[in-house]
């Protein structure tokens, strides 16, 4: 090792040490989520926060495995377990009321992927994370200028597992990214903090989430005119499941656009929470942004909390938001049954059709809304 | 073998009584037209027979080939051979026409038996072609964004695919242009058979000129008040329903 290399390594180690110390401070100074925090008001945070904190405080090992599948011809650089790089990118990550949890995550996380996508992907790149215990993986996706990419992330958990993921997504000018997150943690808990930074490209983002307790925080920051972000989510809840979704569409630049459509089918005693916000910075005139949360209730005991929001500091914008929660349409159900389809099957068809609105829009061609 | 309705009284759930003792028999192989002024209970009769949850039977019976219709669920009535072409076909977002038809046909097969995909699509496309429908409609969500006429054609497509033994057409002619009316009527006429019967609810003679009924009934204030042959259609066309008031 040359003297230069030795210095570089020592500098990197010092940075990492500082990062860990900063994260400890971040954790020490922040309050663990509780119901008195507005961002956690309906989300029943105790179960997840306490389990994660206790396990990590005991320095328990993270249990999980990750794999990547890339069938395309292009050579996509993939850095598995590039922990130091990932830690550096996560230092600046904003959260929606989860600073303490992110501090814990950064103190000790599992592994993850850093994808630098420099060529079009012919087939989707598939990232898979699996666990039956505690797992805190991280993902960093960066798409180079003008490149078209499709990434599918799958988070699979079995039993009463706990998975806490962070994701950093950066899209350069002229790039197009379709990214879908599919999480199924069975009887366990799942939390994901996603930070999308759009520097002039088009992003389509879909989440499909299932678990006993699930929280999604997605923050999309749009920095240039003509940049576009489309956020979709389609979920089916049953039993006592809780799905707590928080989003921010942040427009720093005028002439940019964003669209959000989050849909849930909620059965039994399940609870779905949506709290979204469109923020338009003072100089971001001619922003075009929309946000819609739609819920179908299949049970009298199902609960919906829907809190769409706008915070507009510019004058000339086109922004709107909407929310609707209603039972399944009896006329639609009757129409299907009147063709001989048994009631239970007809309910599944109508519910799938309701969610397909979001998934179909995601899978269509990337267009500016 | 017939559809036999006896002394049927029915009302809107927790609301007004609409049917006041309807009695009617439609033997297999026949086409019966049911006419009557607005609000006389024609659509209610069709919905009660199919089991719409907004209506409840107060008394009376309906038998489909000897089976008690009112003891069956909505889907069972359909699988037993009853079909309703709706006055206002419902939009079902996100459910494609093909998936909808596949589920309806699959439900008619014995447990464990799977619908053959190739012959299903072949049949669906050829039936659509007979009705002058673009085959792109197979992938479109059921009735979503369809014009009034397209919705009616779609209902007739479903009828032709499901091949019921008793079909009720509730104002299928409303919203259809002249060409579409002829195409749809041709489709219905092609289905006429000794093992199948139709109840056609309409306000207009023009549909019955295409689909010539064997028997014509007039429903008024929830009761069949007159039954005759095709000449009754011509009488109504010329003089309206004024004769009902003079008979009161």
């Amino acid at each position: 090792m040359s003297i230069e290399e030795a210095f570089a390594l020592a500098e990197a180690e010092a940075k990492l040490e500082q990062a860990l110390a900063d994260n400890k401070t971040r954790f020490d100074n922040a309050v663990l989520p509780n119901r008195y925090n507005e961002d956690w008001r309906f989300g029943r945070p105790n179960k997840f926060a306490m389990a994660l904190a206790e396990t990590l405080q005991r320095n328990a090992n993270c249990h999980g495995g990750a794999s990547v599948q890339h069938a395309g011809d292009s050579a996509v650089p993939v850095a598995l377990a590039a922990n130091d790089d990932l830690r550096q990118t996560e230092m600046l990550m904003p959260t929606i009321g989860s600073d303490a949890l992110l501090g814990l995550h950064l103190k000790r996380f599992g592994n993850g992927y850093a994808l630098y996508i420099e060529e079009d992907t012919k087939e989707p790149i598939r990232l898979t994370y699996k666990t039956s215990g505690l797992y805190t993986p991280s993902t960093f996706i960066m798409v180079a200028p003008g490149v078209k990419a499709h990434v599918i992330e799958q988070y699979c958990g079995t039993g009463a597992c706990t998975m806490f993921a962070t994701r950093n997504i950066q899209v350069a000018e002229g790039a197009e990214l379709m990214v879908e997150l599919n999480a199924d943690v069975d009887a366990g808990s799942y939390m994901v903090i996603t930070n999308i930074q759009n520097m002039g490209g088009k992003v389509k983002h879909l989440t499909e989430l299932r678990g006993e307790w699930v929280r999604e925080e997605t923050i999309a920051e749009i920095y240039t005119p003509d940049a576009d972000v489309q956020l979709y989510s389609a979920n089916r809840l049953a039993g006592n499941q809780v799905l707590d979704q928080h989003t921010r569409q942040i427009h720093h630049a005028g002439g940019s656009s964003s669209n959000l459509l989050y849909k849930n089918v909620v059965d039994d005693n399940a609870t779905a929470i949506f709290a979204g916000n469109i923020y338009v910075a003072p100089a971001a005139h001619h922003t075009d942004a929309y946000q819609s949360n739609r819920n179908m209730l299949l049970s009298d005991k199902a609960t919906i909390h829907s809190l769409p929001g706008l915070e507009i500091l510019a004058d000339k914008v086109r922004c709107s938001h909407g929310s609707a929660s209603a039972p399944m349409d009896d006329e639609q159900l009757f129409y299907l049954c009147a063709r001989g389809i048994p009631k239970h099957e007809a309910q599944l068809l109508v519910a799938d059709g309701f969610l397909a609105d979001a998934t179909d829009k995601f899978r269509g061609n990337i267009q500016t809304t | 073998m017939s559809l036999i309705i006896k002394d049927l009284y029915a009302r809107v759930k927790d609301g007004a009584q609409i049917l006041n003792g309807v009695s009617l028999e439609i033997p297999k192989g026949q086409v019966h037209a049911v006419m009557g002024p607005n609000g006389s209970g024609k659509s209610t009769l069709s919905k009660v027979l199919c089991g719409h949850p907004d209506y409840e039977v107060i008394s009376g019976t309906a038998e489909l080939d000897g089976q008690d219709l009112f003891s069956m669920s909505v889907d069972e009535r359909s699988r037993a051979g009853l079909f309703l072409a709706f006055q206002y076909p419902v939009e079902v977002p996100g459910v494609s026409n093909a998936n909808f038809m596949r589920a309806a046909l699959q439900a008619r097969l014995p447990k464990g038996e799977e619908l053959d995909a190739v012959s299903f699509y072949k049949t669906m496309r050829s039936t659509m072609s007979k009705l002058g429908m673009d085959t792109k409609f197979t992938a479109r969500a059921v009735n979503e964004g369809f014009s009034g006429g397209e919705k009616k054609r779609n209902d007739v497509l479903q009828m032709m695919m499901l091949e019921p033994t008793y079909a009720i057409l509730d104002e299928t002619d409303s919203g259809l242009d002249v060409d579409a009316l002829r195409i749809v009527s041709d489709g219905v006429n092609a289905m006429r058979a000794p093992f199948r019967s139709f109840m056609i609810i309409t306000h207009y003679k023009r549909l019955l000129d295409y689909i010539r009924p064997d028997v014509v009934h007039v429903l008024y204030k929830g009761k069949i008040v007159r039954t005759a042959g095709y000449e009754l259609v011509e009488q109504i066309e010329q003089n309206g329903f004024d004769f009902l008031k003079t008979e009161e």
Side-chain angles (χ1 to χ4, degrees):
Chain A
M1 185 186 295
S2 70
I3 187 76
E4 293 302 325
E5 286 170 339
F7 266 96
L9 185 63
E11 189 186 357
E13 282 174 359
K15 271 187 182 172
L16 181 59
E17 202 170 310
Q18 183 60 47
L20 291 171
D22 289 347
N23 279 316
K24 185 176 183 316
T25 310
R26 188 175 190 171
F27 169 62
D28 290 343
N29 292 341
V31 180
L32 274 174
N34 59 69
R35 298 192 72 164
Y36 299 102
N37 178 332
E38 182 62 27
D39 292 315
W40 287 81
R41 193 168 147 205
F42 303 108
R44 303 180 199 170
N46 291 357
K47 184 183 160 194
F48 182 74
M50 295 312 293
L52 191 67
E54 282 172 16
T55 322
L56 289 172
Q57 290 289 52
R58 286 201 311 270
N59 276 335
N61 289 326
C62 296
H63 301 289
S67 62
V68 64
Q69 182 191 336
H70 177 238
D73 297 332
S74 59
V76 177
V78 173
L80 181 62
N83 290 1
D84 297 351
D85 282 355
L86 290 166
R87 253 177 245 224
Q88 295 293 338
T89 64
E90 289 187 345
M91 284 304 295
L92 302 170
M93 270 188 82
T95 71
I96 304 174
S98 301
D99 243 32
L101 292 180
L102 186 61
L104 280 171
H105 180 282
L106 293 170
K107 267 178 77 178
R108 184 180 189 85
F109 65 21
N111 51 23
Y113 295 114
L115 301 182
Y116 301 94
I117 306 174
E118 293 176 306
E119 290 177 27
D120 290 358
T121 56
K122 289 175 183 163
E123 297 288 330
I125 300 171
R126 291 177 187 275
L127 308 178
T128 306
Y129 299 100
K130 287 182 180 171
T131 190
S132 58
L134 173 72
Y135 192 22
T136 52
S138 300
T139 308
F140 176 63
I141 300 168
M142 189 169 150
V143 188
V147 170
K148 289 182 182 175
H150 187 178
V151 178
I152 300 172
E153 293 168 66
Q154 287 177 308
Y155 296 81
C156 311
T158 48
C161 62
T162 301
M163 201 179 307
F164 180 12
T166 57
R167 303 158 76 225
N168 262 287
I169 298 168
Q170 291 182 14
V171 176
E173 190 179 356
E176 293 184 5
L177 173 67
M178 283 180 80
V179 57
E180 44 195 298
L181 185 160
N182 187 305
D184 186 352
V185 294
D186 195 20
S189 305
Y190 176 81
M191 176 163 168
V192 59
I193 299 176
T194 302
N195 184 220
I196 299 167
Q197 293 184 299
N198 190 342
M199 315 304 286
K202 296 185 189 307
V203 179
K204 276 190 164 187
H205 183 268
L206 170 71
T207 59
E208 292 176 289
L209 309 162
R210 199 182 80 82
E212 199 60 22
W213 184 95
V214 175
R215 180 174 168 103
E216 172 194 346
E217 292 182 15
T218 298
I219 301 167
E221 299 200 66
I222 304 165
Y223 289 100
T224 63
D226 302 324
D228 179 57
V229 173
Q230 296 180 32
L231 304 173
Y232 300 102
S233 189
N235 311 290
R236 190 189 281 273
L237 287 80
N240 292 309
Q241 290 175 339
V242 176
L243 173 62
D244 189 11
Q245 295 178 293
H246 297 254
T247 64
R248 298 274 188 278
Q249 294 153 259
I250 302 173
H251 289 262
H252 295 289
S256 56
S257 57
S258 69
N259 185 23
L260 177 146
L261 177 61
Y262 274 34
K263 301 191 91 169
N264 299 307
V265 174
V266 189
D267 201 353
D268 302 330
N269 290 304
T271 302
I273 302 134
F274 172 81
N277 179 268
I278 297 174
Y279 173 83
V280 181
H285 299 298
H286 305 292
T287 288
D288 187 347
Y290 187 64
Q291 179 191 83
S292 175
N293 175 227
R294 299 276 184 269
N295 300 290
M296 180 185 280
L297 291 104
L298 300 184
S299 152
D300 291 344
K301 291 177 181 168
T303 306
I304 303 289
H305 300 282
S306 185
L307 302 101
L310 299 175
E311 192 177 348
I312 299 169
L313 305 180
D315 297 329
K316 299 171 188 168
V317 299
R318 192 168 71 175
C319 292
S320 57
H321 61 338
S323 171
S325 300
M328 185 176 281
D329 185 337
D330 285 342
E331 290 297 328
Q332 290 180 9
L333 202 56
F334 176 68
Y335 192 74
L336 267 63
C337 290
R339 298 296 178 251
I341 301 170
K343 191 174 178 181
H344 178 67
E345 208 177 310
Q347 281 176 328
L348 288 177
L349 272 174
V350 174
D352 284 348
F354 176 77
L355 296 177
D357 182 26
T359 52
D360 287 352
K361 280 180 178 147
F362 170 79
R363 298 206 164 92
N365 293 324
I366 290 184
Q367 304 167 347
T368 303
T369 49
Chain B
M1 300 298 257
S2 314
L3 170 63
I4 303 169
I5 304 160
K6 274 188 194 160
D7 237 0
L8 179 60
Y9 290 78
R11 66 180 166 215
V12 179
K13 225 162 229 178
D14 305 321
Q17 186 168 318
I18 311 285
L19 301 183
N20 299 303
V22 175
S23 292
L24 193 63
E25 180 172 354
I26 305 179
K28 270 194 176 150
Q30 291 192 1
V31 174
H32 286 221
V34 177
M35 304 182 81
N38 291 325
S40 58
K42 301 185 297 295
S43 291
T44 299
L45 174 63
S46 68
K47 286 183 175 172
V48 167
L49 291 175
C50 289
H52 194 289
D54 284 355
Y55 300 90
E56 62 185 359
V57 174
I58 301 164
S59 63
T61 59
E63 283 184 4
L64 196 76
D65 294 340
Q67 299 177 82
D68 176 11
L69 207 54
F70 296 148
S71 67
M72 295 185 216
S73 62
V74 179
D75 53 303
E76 283 170 346
R77 296 179 202 201
S78 169
R79 294 197 300 275
L82 187 65
F83 181 91
L84 170 63
F86 285 66
Q87 185 176 3
Y88 303 108
V90 177
E91 296 189 5
V92 191
V95 180
S96 73
N97 256 329
N99 277 350
F100 173 42
M101 271 296 87
R102 205 177 72 185
L105 287 166
Q106 182 67 50
R108 286 162 167 76
L109 296 178
K111 222 173 186 176
E113 197 175 313
E114 288 292 324
L115 196 67
D116 180 67
V118 177
S119 65
F120 164 71
Y121 274 101
K122 202 174 161 186
T123 308
M124 188 156 181
R125 286 205 182 94
S126 72
T127 313
M128 290 173 101
S129 163
K130 280 178 200 161
L131 289 168
M133 291 175 77
D134 192 323
T135 50
K136 283 180 186 159
F137 279 78
T138 51
R140 295 254 316 253
V142 178
N143 296 328
E144 195 181 31
F146 289 21
S147 70
E150 285 167 344
K151 286 179 181 173
K152 295 296 177 79
R153 279 196 214 207
N154 205 31
D155 257 27
V156 174
L157 167 74
Q158 292 159 27
M159 180 178 73
M160 293 169 79
M161 292 285 292
L162 297 176
E163 300 181 324
T165 42
Y166 295 92
I168 303 169
L169 278 64
D170 189 2
E171 295 193 28
T172 296
D173 49 341
S174 67
L176 289 182
D177 62 35
V178 181
D179 294 329
L181 182 66
R182 185 180 45 76
I183 292 168
V184 165
S185 303
D186 286 349
V188 173
N189 283 329
M191 287 185 73
R192 289 178 79 153
F195 53 84
R196 181 175 291 131
S197 60
F198 292 87
M199 182 199 287
I200 296 179
I201 296 169
T202 185
H203 283 289
Y204 304 107
K205 179 174 173 285
R206 59 179 188 172
L207 178 66
L208 302 176
D209 285 340
Y210 284 114
I211 309 168
R212 196 83 171 192
D214 301 293
V215 181
V216 179
H217 307 276
V218 174
L219 188 71
Y220 182 58
K221 291 189 175 177
K223 233 178 154 170
I224 300 288
V225 293
R226 187 171 292 190
T227 296
Y230 183 75
E231 67 280 2
L232 185 54
V233 177
E234 288 178 333
Q235 187 189 335
I236 292 167
E237 181 75 5
Q238 282 172 12
N239 305 318
F241 291 108
D242 280 350
F243 69 94
L244 295 170
K245 287 168 192 160
T246 54
E247 284 176 7
E248 270 187 297

